[in-house]
């Protein structure tokens, strides 16, 4: 509509994911009510009352606010979030941000002037190759302990 490309120009042959994922923006001064689902990056500089389900990166700008849950691959929070945040990779709480709710992430970075009130649950990263067994941490500990006992005896 705006750039002269047809819908088929933006999608892969299988139609599963966009070739070049574009970012969606909720601008400053905009208030939305309802849930948002996005396959591309999402930035909120306005206000959202609802949940976010994103398969890419979610950015809440310094003046942005979300009252609802956020689920995504990554998230950078600079504004205010009231709700649960679950990301599969890196969650960054930037300086001046305010989060009231629980968070769950594989990696977490909180700057000193960020404010977080809630519970934090760190999810383990996917194990790329297991030494033996089924790759559970308990098996690895067992093997290391057994090796220490054998070396000591």
């Amino acid at each position: 509509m705006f750039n002269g490309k047809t819908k088929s120009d933006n999608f892969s042959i299988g139609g599963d994911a966009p070739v070049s994922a574009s970012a969606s923006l909720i601008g400053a001064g905009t208030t939305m009510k309802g849930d948002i689902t996005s396959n591309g990056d999402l930035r909120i500089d306005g206000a959202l009352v609802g949940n976010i389900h994103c398969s890419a990166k979610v950015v809440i700008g310094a003046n942005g606010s979300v009252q609802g849950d956020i689920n995504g691959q990554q998230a950078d929070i600079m504004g205010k979030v009231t709700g649960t945040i679950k990301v599969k990779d890196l969650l960054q709480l930037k300086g001046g941000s305010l989060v009231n709710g629980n968070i769950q992430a594989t990696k977490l970075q909180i700057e000193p002037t960020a404010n977080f009130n809630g519970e934090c649950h760190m999810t383990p990263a996917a194990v790329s190759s297991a030494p033996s067994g089924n790759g559970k941490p308990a098996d690895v500990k067992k093997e290391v302990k057994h090796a220490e006992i054998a070396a000591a005896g």
Side-chain angles (χ1 to χ4, degrees), residues 30-82:
T30 303
T31 300
M32 286 189 60
K33 293 182 181 180
D35 295 345
I36 296 177
T37 301
S38 176
N39 289 330
D41 292 349
L42 176 64
R43 182 177 177 102
I44 308 285
D45 286 321
L48 171 69
V49 178
N51 301 317
I52 297 173
H53 302 280
C54 184
S55 58
K57 186 174 188 175
V58 177
V59 177
I60 310 301
N63 295 319
S65 69
V66 175
Q67 292 181 19
D69 297 341
I70 299 174
N71 291 294
Q73 186 66 32
Q74 294 182 2
D76 289 354
I77 311 297
M78 295 170 265
K80 181 179 179 180
V81 176
T82 302

Side-chain angles (χ1 to χ4, degrees), residues 17 20 25 47 60 82 111 114 132 152:
S20 61
L25 171 68
I60 310 301
T82 302
E111 292 186 1
S132 65

Side-chain angles (χ1 to χ4, degrees), residues 128-144:
S128 58
S129 62
S132 65
N134 60 8
K136 291 182 181 176
D139 290 339
V140 174
K141 288 180 184 175
K142 218 183 242 183
E143 290 175 16
V144 171

Side-chain angles (χ1 to χ4, degrees), residues 5 13 15 19 28 32 41 72 76 82 85 92 98 119 127 133 151:
K5 291 185 179 181
I13 294 171
V19 173
M32 286 189 60
D41 292 349
D76 289 354
T82 302
I85 302 173
Q92 296 183 48
L98 173 61
E119 293 182 6
V127 178

Side-chain angles (χ1 to χ4, degrees), residues 90-148:
L90 174 63
L91 171 60
Q92 296 183 48
L93 302 183
K94 302 286 190 172
S97 64
L98 173 61
V99 175
N100 289 308
N102 298 335
I103 58 176
Q104 180 178 332
T106 301
K107 301 175 202 165
L108 176 63
Q109 181 179 20
I110 302 177
E111 292 186 1
T113 57
N115 193 339
F116 164 64
N117 299 303
E119 293 182 6
C120 175
H121 298 277
M122 300 299 291
T123 56
V127 178
S128 58
S129 62
S132 65
N134 60 8
K136 291 182 181 176
D139 290 339
V140 174
K141 288 180 184 175
K142 218 183 242 183
E143 290 175 16
V144 171
K145 189 173 185 178
H146 179 69
E148 291 172 1

